[in-house]
Amino acid sequence: MAIAYTAHAFATGGGRDGHTQSDDGVIDLQLVVPKELGGPGGRGANPEMLFAAGHSACFLGALRFVAGKQKIQVPADTKVAADVGIGPREDGTGFGLAVTLHISLPGMDRTVAEKLVADADIVCPYSHATRGNIPRELKVSV
């Protein structure tokens, strides 16, 4: 694979209760462990939020890319929302993730929308990276 772009970021402090920043300073976030994971909660990001933001943005881009190739008009108010859950793995050796993408294509024909989403799922690098590795669900609404 020929790499076209590489993002650079780092974390400092305690990891999930530290700080994360991109090398260019565009991302500059305090990290806080959610109460559900034994942390204090409160104002701050966590890795699951960042994964959800990245996956939803990437999938929307893949959706628009595929639609363009197929000469399909995507509604202006199309939205992709991601739920990224974390919890202990069943084998007891660590933690795992689960992802649900909610893809809203208002006013689009359901059959066309579902095919477009299936095609975008093949193109999206986040989908490719997670397929077969974690539970994933795609929910389409029109």
Side-chain angles (χ1 to χ4, degrees), residues 55-67 80 120 123-124:
H55 198 160
S56 60
C58 189
F59 197 92
L60 181 56
L63 193 66
R64 292 194 181 282
F65 174 81
V66 168
V80 177
V123 171
C124 176

Side-chain angles (χ1 to χ4, degrees), residues 94-111:
F95 296 89
L97 299 174
V99 172
T100 301
L101 294 181
H102 304 270
I103 304 102
S104 174
L105 295 150
M108 186 174 266
D109 175 80
R110 176 164 288 285
T111 303

Side-chain angles (χ1 to χ4, degrees), residues 51 54-56 58-60 62-63 80 99 101 103 117-134 136-138:
F51 192 90
H55 198 160
S56 60
C58 189
F59 197 92
L60 181 56
L63 193 66
V80 177
V99 172
L101 294 181
I103 304 102
V117 166
D119 292 346
D121 192 42
I122 293 168
V123 171
C124 176
Y126 277 71
S127 293
H128 179 74
T130 58
R131 188 176 301 107
N133 296 314
I134 64 172
R136 300 173 57 244
E137 189 175 359
L138 303 176

